[in-house]
Amino acid sequence: GEGFKNDAMTAGLLAFMGVIAVIYARYRRLELVGSVLITGASEIIIIFGVASLIRWDIDLPAIAGIIAAVGTGVDNQIVILDEILLEKGKSIRYRIKNAFFIVIGSWMTLIAAMIPLFVIGFGMLKGFAVTTMIGATAGVFITRPAYARMVQLILKK
């Protein structure tokens, strides 16, 4: 139990450090890296909170689901950021709307893939599916809009 907890924490820390390196290499702005990290940490907290509310055990497949959800979240954040930064000729509202069209499509695809795992999956697959769906849904409806707003504020400076 204790070794598992330490290994999971180490893996999470290494994943966060990898994300920091890639985002910084791409955008070269620490405040953008920070906004991605804040959003990712928020998603993890939301996943743990919802899992606690529904009394879902966090086991190895559930941790894999959390990593998958945060990974798709970072991918969505990069889509939002690129749409905002690269479509200069259009209004910020249009750029964010366009980014969210992509984000919603990605979320719907992920949910469509996870439902069969949950419905007919074995115990281990259910944990992965549940945490992935919780994280992705929280991301689309809570953390992605917050992230888009953070990016707007950062870029106005």
Side-chain angles (χ1 to χ4, degrees), residues 41-60:
S42 299
E43 277 182 34
I44 292 169
I45 291 167
I46 291 168
I47 292 168
F48 283 145
V50 172
S52 174
L53 285 173
I54 64 172
R55 300 190 189 287
W56 195 267
D57 291 329
I58 301 296
D59 54 6
L60 191 56

Side-chain angles (χ1 to χ4, degrees), residues 15 50 57 67 75 90 111 132 153:
V50 172
D57 291 329
I67 292 168
D75 182 48
K90 308 211 166 82
I111 295 298
T132 303
L153 294 172

Side-chain angles (χ1 to χ4, degrees), residues 24-40:
Y24 185 76
R26 170 79 168 101
Y27 299 105
R28 302 277 183 205
R29 293 188 63 181
L30 285 177
E31 60 266 29
L32 295 176
V33 172
S35 63
V36 170
L37 292 177
I38 289 168
T39 305

Side-chain angles (χ1 to χ4, degrees), residues 60-82:
L60 191 56
I63 290 172
I66 292 169
I67 292 168
V70 172
T72 60
V74 170
D75 182 48
N76 289 168
Q77 291 166 31
I78 290 170
V79 167
I80 292 167
L81 192 53
D82 277 352

